[in-house]
Amino acid sequence: DTMSEFKFDYNISETFDREAFDATCKKLDSHIPPLRKGENIKEEDGSEMQFYYLDSKKLAVHIVDFLDLVYVTSEFDASEYLK
């Protein structure tokens, strides 16, 4: 099964808040290692995803224009990394 299993969701902001996105990435950056920073994907509408990895498990920070949201999806419990 190549579909990733994002079991954990964390709502960060209910607005399109670039500062909240950047602050969330900064929190995760402070946990490298054990986290590894992965690819960054930018869309034309300003939406963006930043990936992180813990061993083979994936986490993504999302800022989504049309949903007006900043949120995190993760295959592992990331609450301690997002404090």
Coordinates of all heavy atoms in Angstrom, one line a residue:
D1 N 0.9 -1.2 0.0 CA 0.0 0.0 0.0 C 0.9 1.2 0.0 O 1.6 1.5 1.0 CB -0.9 0.0 1.2 CG -1.9 1.1 1.3 OD1 -2.1 1.7 0.2 OD2 -2.4 1.5 2.4
T2 N 0.8 2.0 -1.1 CA 1.7 3.2 -1.2 C 1.0 4.4 -0.6 O 1.7 5.4 -0.4 CB 2.1 3.4 -2.7 OG1 0.9 3.6 -3.4 CG2 2.9 2.3 -3.3
M3 N -0.2 4.3 -0.3 CA -0.9 5.5 0.3 C -0.4 5.6 1.7 O -0.3 4.7 2.5 CB -2.4 5.3 0.3 CG -3.1 5.5 -1.0 SD -2.8 7.2 -1.6 CE -3.8 8.1 -0.5
S4 N -0.1 6.9 2.1 CA 0.5 7.1 3.4 C -0.7 7.1 4.4 O -1.8 7.5 4.1 CB 1.3 8.4 3.3 OG 0.8 9.3 4.3
E5 N -0.4 6.7 5.6 CA -1.4 6.6 6.6 C -1.3 7.8 7.6 O -0.6 7.6 8.6 CB -1.3 5.3 7.4 CG -1.8 4.1 6.6 CD -3.3 4.1 6.3 OE1 -4.0 4.4 7.3 OE2 -3.7 3.9 5.2
F6 N -1.9 8.9 7.3 CA -1.8 10.0 8.3 C -2.9 9.8 9.3 O -4.1 10.0 9.1 CB -2.1 11.3 7.5 CG -0.9 11.7 6.6 CD1 -1.1 11.9 5.3 CD2 0.3 12.0 7.2 CE1 -0.1 12.3 4.5 CE2 1.4 12.4 6.4 CZ 1.2 12.5 5.0
K7 N -2.5 9.3 10.5 CA -3.4 9.0 11.6 C -3.7 10.2 12.5 O -4.7 10.2 13.2 CB -2.8 7.9 12.4 CG -2.7 6.6 11.7 CD -2.2 5.5 12.6 CE -2.1 4.1 11.9 NZ -0.9 4.0 11.1
F8 N -2.8 11.1 12.5 CA -2.9 12.3 13.4 C -3.1 13.6 12.7 O -2.4 13.8 11.7 CB -1.6 12.4 14.3 CG -1.4 11.1 15.1 CD1 -0.6 10.1 14.6 CD2 -1.9 11.0 16.4 CE1 -0.3 9.0 15.4 CE2 -1.7 9.9 17.2 CZ -0.9 8.9 16.7
D9 N -4.0 14.4 13.2 CA -4.3 15.7 12.6 C -4.2 16.7 13.7 O -4.7 16.5 14.8 CB -5.7 15.7 12.0 CG -5.9 15.0 10.7 OD1 -5.2 15.4 9.7 OD2 -6.6 14.0 10.7
Y10 N -3.6 17.8 13.4 CA -3.5 18.9 14.3 C -3.9 20.2 13.6 O -3.3 20.6 12.6 CB -2.0 19.1 14.8 CG -1.5 17.8 15.4 CD1 -0.8 16.9 14.6 CD2 -1.6 17.5 16.7 CE1 -0.3 15.7 15.1 CE2 -1.1 16.3 17.2 CZ -0.4 15.4 16.4 OH 0.1 14.2 16.9
N11 N -4.9 20.9 14.1 CA -5.3 22.2 13.6 C -4.5 23.2 14.2 O -4.4 23.3 15.4 CB -6.8 22.5 13.9 CG -7.7 22.1 12.8 OD1 -7.2 21.9 11.6 ND2 -9.0 22.1 13.0
I12 N -3.8 24.0 13.4 CA -2.9 25.1 13.9 C -3.6 26.4 13.8 O -3.5 27.2 14.8 CB -1.6 25.1 13.0 CG1 -1.0 23.7 13.0 CG2 -0.6 26.1 13.6 CD1 -0.4 23.1 14.3
S13 N -4.3 26.7 12.7 CA -4.9 28.0 12.6 C -6.1 27.9 11.6 O -6.0 27.2 10.6 CB -3.9 29.0 12.0 OG -4.5 30.3 11.7
E14 N -7.1 28.6 11.9 CA -8.3 28.6 11.1 C -8.4 29.8 10.1 O -9.4 30.2 9.7 CB -9.6 28.4 11.9 CG -9.6 27.1 12.6 CD -10.9 26.7 13.2 OE1 -11.9 27.5 13.0 OE2 -11.0 25.6 13.8
T15 N -7.2 30.3 9.9 CA -7.0 31.4 8.8 C -5.8 31.0 8.0 O -5.0 30.2 8.4 CB -6.9 32.8 9.4 OG1 -5.7 32.8 10.2 CG2 -8.1 33.2 10.2
F16 N -5.7 31.7 6.8 CA -4.5 31.5 6.0 C -3.4 32.3 6.6 O -3.2 33.5 6.3 CB -4.8 31.9 4.6 CG -3.7 31.6 3.6 CD1 -3.6 30.4 3.1 CD2 -2.8 32.6 3.2 CE1 -2.6 30.1 2.2 CE2 -1.8 32.4 2.3 CZ -1.7 31.1 1.8
D17 N -2.7 31.8 7.6 CA -1.8 32.5 8.5 C -0.4 32.0 8.2 O 0.1 31.0 8.7 CB -2.2 32.2 9.9 CG -1.4 33.1 10.9 OD1 -0.3 33.5 10.6 OD2 -1.9 33.2 12.1
R18 N 0.3 32.8 7.4 CA 1.7 32.5 7.1 C 2.6 32.4 8.3 O 3.5 31.5 8.4 CB 2.2 33.5 6.1 CG 3.7 33.4 5.6 CD 3.9 32.1 4.8 NE 3.1 32.0 3.6 CZ 3.1 30.9 2.8 NH1 3.9 29.9 3.1 NH2 2.4 30.8 1.8
E19 N 2.4 33.3 9.3 CA 3.2 33.3 10.5 C 3.0 32.0 11.3 O 4.0 31.4 11.8 CB 2.9 34.5 11.4 CG 3.5 35.8 10.9 CD 3.1 37.0 11.8 OE1 2.6 36.8 12.9 OE2 3.4 38.1 11.3
A20 N 1.8 31.5 11.3 CA 1.5 30.2 12.0 C 2.2 29.1 11.3 O 2.7 28.2 12.0 CB 0.0 30.0 12.1
F21 N 2.1 29.1 10.0 CA 2.8 28.0 9.2 C 4.3 28.1 9.5 O 4.9 27.0 9.8 CB 2.5 28.3 7.7 CG 3.2 27.3 6.8 CD1 2.7 26.0 6.5 CD2 4.5 27.6 6.2 CE1 3.3 25.1 5.7 CE2 5.1 26.7 5.4 CZ 4.5 25.5 5.1
D22 N 4.9 29.3 9.4 CA 6.4 29.4 9.6 C 6.7 29.0 11.1 O 7.8 28.3 11.3 CB 6.8 30.8 9.3 CG 6.7 31.2 7.8 OD1 6.7 30.2 7.0 OD2 6.8 32.4 7.5
A23 N 5.9 29.4 12.0 CA 6.2 29.1 13.4 C 6.1 27.6 13.7 O 6.9 27.0 14.4 CB 5.2 29.8 14.3
T24 N 5.2 26.9 13.0 CA 5.0 25.5 13.2 C 6.3 24.8 12.6 O 6.8 23.9 13.2 CB 3.8 25.0 12.5 OG1 2.6 25.6 13.1 CG2 3.6 23.5 12.6
C25 N 6.7 25.2 11.4 CA 7.9 24.6 10.8 C 9.1 24.9 11.7 O 10.0 24.0 11.8 CB 8.1 25.2 9.4 SG 6.9 24.7 8.2
K26 N 9.2 26.1 12.3 CA 10.3 26.4 13.2 C 10.4 25.5 14.4 O 11.4 25.0 14.8 CB 10.2 27.9 13.6 CG 11.5 28.5 14.0 CD 11.3 30.0 14.1 CE 12.7 30.7 14.4 NZ 12.5 32.1 14.5
K27 N 9.2 25.2 15.0 CA 9.1 24.3 16.1 C 9.6 22.9 15.7 O 10.4 22.3 16.4 CB 7.6 24.1 16.5 CG 7.1 25.2 17.4 CD 5.7 24.9 17.9 CE 5.0 26.1 18.4 NZ 3.6 25.9 18.5
L28 N 9.2 22.4 14.5 CA 9.7 21.1 14.0 C 11.2 21.2 13.7 O 11.9 20.2 14.0 CB 8.8 20.7 12.8 CG 7.4 20.4 13.2 CD1 6.5 20.4 11.9 CD2 7.2 19.1 13.9
D29 N 11.6 22.3 13.1 CA 13.1 22.4 12.8 C 13.9 22.3 14.1 O 15.0 21.7 14.1 CB 13.4 23.8 12.2 CG 12.9 23.9 10.8 OD1 12.5 22.9 10.2 OD2 12.8 25.1 10.3
S30 N 13.4 22.7 15.2 CA 14.1 22.6 16.5 C 14.2 21.2 17.0 O 15.0 20.9 17.9 CB 13.4 23.5 17.6 OG 12.3 22.9 18.1
H31 N 13.5 20.2 16.4 CA 13.6 18.8 16.7 C 14.4 18.0 15.7 O 14.2 16.8 15.6 CB 12.2 18.3 16.9 CG 11.5 18.9 18.1 ND1 11.9 18.5 19.4 CD2 10.5 19.8 18.2 CE1 11.1 19.2 20.3 NE2 10.3 20.0 19.6
I32 N 15.2 18.7 14.9 CA 16.1 17.9 14.0 C 17.5 17.8 14.7 O 18.1 18.8 15.0 CB 16.3 18.8 12.7 CG1 15.0 18.9 12.0 CG2 17.3 18.1 11.8 CD1 15.0 19.9 10.8
P33 N 18.0 16.6 14.8 CA 17.3 15.3 14.9 C 16.5 15.2 16.1 O 16.7 16.0 17.0 CB 18.5 14.3 14.8 CG 19.6 15.0 15.5 CD 19.4 16.5 15.2
P34 N 15.6 14.3 16.2 CA 15.4 13.1 15.4 C 14.6 13.3 14.1 O 14.6 12.4 13.2 CB 14.6 12.1 16.3 CG 13.8 13.0 17.2 CD 14.7 14.2 17.4
L35 N 13.9 14.4 14.0 CA 13.2 14.7 12.7 C 14.2 15.0 11.6 O 15.3 15.5 11.9 CB 12.2 15.8 12.9 CG 11.1 15.6 13.9 CD1 10.2 16.9 14.0 CD2 10.3 14.4 13.7
R36 N 13.8 14.7 10.4 CA 14.5 15.1 9.2 C 13.6 16.0 8.4 O 12.4 15.7 8.2 CB 14.9 13.9 8.3 CG 16.0 13.1 8.9 CD 16.4 12.0 7.9 NE 15.4 11.0 7.7 CZ 14.7 10.8 6.6 NH1 15.0 11.5 5.5 NH2 13.8 9.9 6.5
K37 N 14.1 17.0 7.8 CA 13.3 17.9 7.0 C 13.3 17.4 5.6 O 14.3 17.0 5.0 CB 13.9 19.3 7.0 CG 12.9 20.4 6.5 CD 13.5 21.8 6.8 CE 12.4 22.8 6.6 NZ 12.7 24.1 7.2
G38 N 12.1 17.3 5.0 CA 11.9 16.8 3.6 C 11.6 17.9 2.6 O 11.9 19.1 2.8
E39 N 10.9 17.5 1.6 CA 10.6 18.4 0.5 C 9.6 19.5 0.9 O 8.8 19.3 1.8 CB 10.1 17.6 -0.7 CG 8.9 16.8 -0.5 CD 9.1 15.4 0.0 OE1 10.0 15.2 0.8 OE2 8.3 14.6 -0.3
N40 N 9.6 20.6 0.2 CA 8.7 21.7 0.3 C 8.0 21.8 -1.0 O 8.6 21.9 -2.1 CB 9.5 23.0 0.6 CG 8.5 24.2 0.7 OD1 8.2 24.7 -0.3 ND2 8.2 24.5 1.9
I41 N 6.7 21.9 -1.0 CA 5.9 22.0 -2.2 C 5.0 23.3 -2.2 O 4.3 23.4 -1.2 CB 5.0 20.8 -2.4 CG1 5.8 19.5 -2.5 CG2 4.1 20.9 -3.6 CD1 5.0 18.2 -2.4
K42 N 5.2 24.1 -3.1 CA 4.5 25.4 -3.2 C 3.5 25.3 -4.4 O 3.9 24.9 -5.5 CB 5.4 26.6 -3.4 CG 6.2 26.9 -2.1 CD 7.1 28.1 -2.4 CE 7.7 28.7 -1.1 NZ 8.8 27.8 -0.6
E43 N 2.3 25.8 -4.1 CA 1.3 25.8 -5.2 C 1.2 27.3 -5.7 O 1.5 28.2 -5.0 CB -0.1 25.4 -4.7 CG -0.1 24.0 -4.0 CD 0.1 22.8 -5.0 OE1 0.0 23.1 -6.2 OE2 0.4 21.7 -4.6
E44 N 0.6 27.4 -6.9 CA 0.4 28.8 -7.4 C -0.5 29.7 -6.6 O -0.3 30.9 -6.6 CB -0.1 28.7 -8.9 CG 0.9 28.2 -9.8 CD 0.5 28.2 -11.3 OE1 -0.6 28.8 -11.6 OE2 1.1 27.5 -12.1
D45 N -1.4 29.1 -5.9 CA -2.3 30.0 -5.1 C -1.7 30.4 -3.7 O -2.4 31.0 -2.9 CB -3.7 29.3 -4.9 CG -3.6 28.0 -4.0 OD1 -2.5 27.7 -3.5 OD2 -4.6 27.4 -3.7
G46 N -0.5 30.0 -3.5 CA 0.2 30.4 -2.2 C 0.1 29.3 -1.2 O 0.8 29.3 -0.1
S47 N -0.7 28.2 -1.5 CA -0.7 27.0 -0.6 C 0.7 26.4 -0.6 O 1.4 26.5 -1.6 CB -1.7 26.0 -1.0 OG -3.0 26.6 -1.0
E48 N 1.0 25.8 0.5 CA 2.4 25.2 0.7 C 2.3 24.0 1.6 O 1.5 23.9 2.5 CB 3.3 26.3 1.3 CG 4.7 25.9 1.3 CD 5.6 27.1 1.7 OE1 5.1 28.3 1.7 OE2 6.7 26.8 2.2
M49 N 3.2 23.0 1.4 CA 3.4 21.9 2.2 C 4.9 21.7 2.5 O 5.7 21.8 1.6 CB 2.9 20.6 1.6 CG 1.4 20.3 1.7 SD 1.0 18.7 1.2 CE 1.5 18.7 -0.6
Q50 N 5.2 21.5 3.8 CA 6.5 21.2 4.2 C 6.5 19.8 4.9 O 5.8 19.6 5.8 CB 7.1 22.2 5.2 CG 8.5 21.9 5.7 CD 9.5 21.9 4.6 OE1 9.7 22.9 3.9 NE2 10.2 20.8 4.5
F51 N 7.4 18.9 4.3 CA 7.4 17.5 4.9 C 8.5 17.4 5.9 O 9.6 18.0 5.7 CB 7.6 16.5 3.7 CG 6.3 16.4 2.9 CD1 6.2 17.1 1.8 CD2 5.3 15.5 3.3 CE1 5.0 17.0 1.0 CE2 4.2 15.4 2.5 CZ 4.0 16.1 1.4
Y52 N 8.3 16.5 6.9 CA 9.3 16.1 7.8 C 9.2 14.6 7.9 O 8.1 14.0 7.7 CB 9.1 16.7 9.2 CG 9.3 18.2 9.2 CD1 8.3 19.1 8.8 CD2 10.6 18.7 9.6 CE1 8.6 20.5 8.8 CE2 10.8 20.1 9.6 CZ 9.8 21.0 9.2 OH 10.1 22.3 9.2
Y53 N 10.3 13.9 8.4 CA 10.3 12.5 8.6 C 10.8 12.1 9.9 O 11.7 12.8 10.4 CB 11.1 11.8 7.5 CG 10.6 12.0 6.1 CD1 11.0 13.1 5.3 CD2 9.6 11.2 5.6 CE1 10.4 13.4 4.1 CE2 9.0 11.4 4.3 CZ 9.5 12.5 3.6 OH 8.9 12.8 2.4
L54 N 10.2 11.1 10.5 CA 10.7 10.5 11.7 C 10.9 9.0 11.3 O 9.9 8.3 11.1 CB 9.8 10.6 12.9 CG 10.2 10.0 14.2 CD1 11.5 10.7 14.7 CD2 9.1 10.1 15.3
D55 N 12.2 8.6 11.2 CA 12.5 7.3 10.6 C 11.8 7.2 9.2 O 12.0 8.1 8.4 CB 12.1 6.1 11.5 CG 12.8 6.2 12.9 OD1 14.0 6.6 12.9 OD2 12.2 6.0 13.9
S56 N 10.9 6.2 9.0 CA 10.2 6.2 7.7 C 8.8 6.8 7.7 O 8.1 6.7 6.8 CB 10.1 4.7 7.3 OG 9.3 4.0 8.2
K57 N 8.5 7.4 8.9 CA 7.1 8.0 9.0 C 7.1 9.4 8.6 O 8.1 10.1 8.8 CB 6.6 7.8 10.4 CG 6.4 6.3 10.7 CD 5.6 6.1 12.0 CE 5.3 4.6 12.1 NZ 4.7 4.3 13.4
K58 N 6.0 9.9 8.0 CA 5.9 11.2 7.4 C 5.0 12.1 8.2 O 4.0 11.7 8.7 CB 5.4 11.0 6.0 CG 5.5 12.2 5.1 CD 4.7 12.0 3.8 CE 5.4 10.9 2.9 NZ 4.8 10.8 1.6
L59 N 5.4 13.4 8.2 CA 4.6 14.5 8.7 C 4.5 15.6 7.7 O 5.5 15.8 7.0 CB 5.2 14.9 10.0 CG 4.5 16.1 10.7 CD1 4.7 16.0 12.2 CD2 5.0 17.5 10.2
A60 N 3.4 16.2 7.5 CA 3.3 17.4 6.6 C 2.6 18.6 7.3 O 1.6 18.4 8.0 CB 2.5 17.0 5.4
V61 N 3.2 19.7 7.2 CA 2.6 21.0 7.6 C 2.0 21.6 6.3 O 2.7 21.7 5.3 CB 3.7 22.0 8.2 CG1 3.0 23.2 8.7 CG2 4.5 21.3 9.2
H62 N 0.7 21.9 6.4 CA 0.0 22.5 5.3 C -0.5 23.9 5.6 O -1.0 24.2 6.7 CB -1.3 21.6 5.1 CG -1.1 20.2 5.0 ND1 -1.1 19.5 3.7 CD2 -0.9 19.2 5.9 CE1 -0.9 18.2 4.0 NE2 -0.8 18.0 5.2
I63 N -0.4 24.8 4.6 CA -1.1 26.0 4.6 C -1.9 26.0 3.3 O -1.3 25.9 2.2 CB -0.2 27.3 4.8 CG1 -1.0 28.5 4.8 CG2 0.9 27.3 3.7 CD1 -0.3 29.8 5.3
V64 N -3.3 26.1 3.4 CA -4.1 25.9 2.3 C -5.0 27.1 2.1 O -5.8 27.4 2.9 CB -5.0 24.6 2.4 CG1 -5.8 24.4 1.2 CG2 -4.1 23.4 2.8
D65 N -4.8 27.7 0.9 CA -5.6 29.0 0.6 C -7.1 28.8 0.6 O -7.8 29.4 1.3 CB -5.1 29.5 -0.7 CG -5.7 30.9 -1.1 OD1 -5.8 31.7 -0.2 OD2 -6.2 31.0 -2.2
F66 N -7.5 27.8 -0.2 CA -9.0 27.7 -0.4 C -9.7 27.1 0.8 O -10.9 27.3 0.9 CB -9.3 26.9 -1.7 CG -9.0 25.4 -1.6 CD1 -9.9 24.5 -1.1 CD2 -7.7 24.9 -2.0 CE1 -9.6 23.1 -1.1 CE2 -7.4 23.6 -1.9 CZ -8.4 22.7 -1.5
L67 N -9.0 26.5 1.7 CA -9.6 26.0 3.0 C -9.4 27.0 4.1 O -10.0 26.9 5.1 CB -9.0 24.7 3.4 CG -9.2 23.5 2.6 CD1 -8.4 22.3 3.1 CD2 -10.7 23.1 2.5
D68 N -8.5 28.0 3.9 CA -8.2 29.0 4.9 C -7.7 28.4 6.2 O -8.3 28.6 7.2 CB -9.4 29.9 5.1 CG -9.0 31.4 5.4 OD1 -7.9 31.8 4.9 OD2 -9.8 32.1 6.0
L69 N -6.8 27.5 6.1 CA -6.3 26.7 7.2 C -4.8 26.5 7.2 O -4.2 26.4 6.2 CB -6.9 25.2 7.1 CG -8.4 25.0 7.6 CD1 -8.7 23.5 7.3 CD2 -8.6 25.3 9.0
V70 N -4.3 26.3 8.4 CA -3.0 25.8 8.6 C -3.1 24.6 9.5 O -3.8 24.6 10.6 CB -2.0 26.8 9.3 CG1 -0.7 26.2 9.5 CG2 -1.9 28.1 8.5
Y71 N -2.6 23.4 9.0 CA -2.8 22.2 9.8 C -1.6 21.3 9.6 O -0.9 21.4 8.6 CB -4.1 21.5 9.5 CG -4.3 21.0 8.1 CD1 -4.1 19.7 7.8 CD2 -4.7 21.9 7.1 CE1 -4.3 19.2 6.5 CE2 -4.9 21.4 5.8 CZ -4.6 20.1 5.5 OH -4.8 19.6 4.2
V72 N -1.5 20.3 10.4 CA -0.5 19.2 10.3 C -1.2 17.9 10.2 O -2.1 17.6 10.9 CB 0.4 19.3 11.6 CG1 1.4 18.1 11.6 CG2 1.2 20.6 11.6
T73 N -0.7 17.1 9.3 CA -1.1 15.6 9.2 C 0.2 14.8 9.5 O 1.3 15.2 9.0 CB -1.7 15.3 7.9 OG1 -0.8 15.6 6.8 CG2 -3.0 15.9 7.6
S74 N 0.0 13.7 10.2 CA 1.2 13.0 10.6 C 0.9 11.5 10.7 O -0.2 11.1 11.1 CB 1.8 13.5 11.9 OG 2.9 12.8 12.3
E75 N 1.9 10.7 10.4 CA 1.8 9.2 10.6 C 2.2 8.8 12.0 O 2.1 7.7 12.3 CB 2.7 8.5 9.5 CG 2.2 8.7 8.1 CD 3.2 8.1 7.1 OE1 4.3 7.7 7.5 OE2 2.7 7.9 6.0
F76 N 2.7 9.8 12.8 CA 3.1 9.5 14.2 C 2.6 10.6 15.1 O 2.2 11.6 14.6 CB 4.6 9.3 14.3 CG 5.4 10.6 13.8 CD1 5.7 11.6 14.7 CD2 5.8 10.7 12.5 CE1 6.4 12.7 14.2 CE2 6.5 11.8 12.0 CZ 6.8 12.8 12.9
D77 N 2.5 10.3 16.3 CA 2.1 11.2 17.3 C 3.1 12.3 17.4 O 4.2 12.1 18.0 CB 1.9 10.6 18.7 CG 1.4 11.5 19.7 OD1 1.3 12.7 19.5 OD2 1.0 11.0 20.8
A78 N 2.8 13.5 16.9 CA 3.8 14.6 16.8 C 3.5 15.7 17.9 O 4.1 16.7 17.9 CB 3.7 15.2 15.5
S79 N 2.6 15.4 18.8 CA 2.2 16.4 19.8 C 3.4 17.0 20.6 O 3.5 18.2 20.8 CB 1.1 15.9 20.7 OG 1.5 14.7 21.3
E80 N 4.4 16.1 20.9 CA 5.5 16.7 21.7 C 6.4 17.6 20.8 O 7.1 18.4 21.4 CB 6.3 15.5 22.3 CG 7.0 14.6 21.2 CD 7.8 13.5 21.8 OE1 8.9 13.7 22.4 OE2 7.3 12.4 21.7
Y81 N 6.4 17.4 19.5 CA 7.2 18.2 18.6 C 6.5 19.6 18.3 O 7.1 20.5 17.8 CB 7.5 17.5 17.3 CG 8.2 16.2 17.5 CD1 7.6 15.0 17.1 CD2 9.5 16.2 18.1 CE1 8.3 13.8 17.3 CE2 10.2 15.0 18.3 CZ 9.6 13.8 17.9 OH 10.2 12.6 18.1
L82 N 5.2 19.6 18.6 CA 4.4 20.8 18.2 C 4.1 21.7 19.4 O 3.4 22.7 19.2 CB 3.1 20.4 17.5 CG 3.3 19.7 16.2 CD1 2.0 19.0 15.8 CD2 3.8 20.6 15.1
K83 N 4.6 21.4 20.6 CA 4.4 22.2 21.8 C 5.0 23.6 21.6 O 6.0 23.7 21.1 CB 5.0 21.5 23.0 CG 4.1 20.4 23.5 CD 4.7 19.8 24.7 CE 3.9 18.6 25.2 NZ 4.7 17.6 25.9

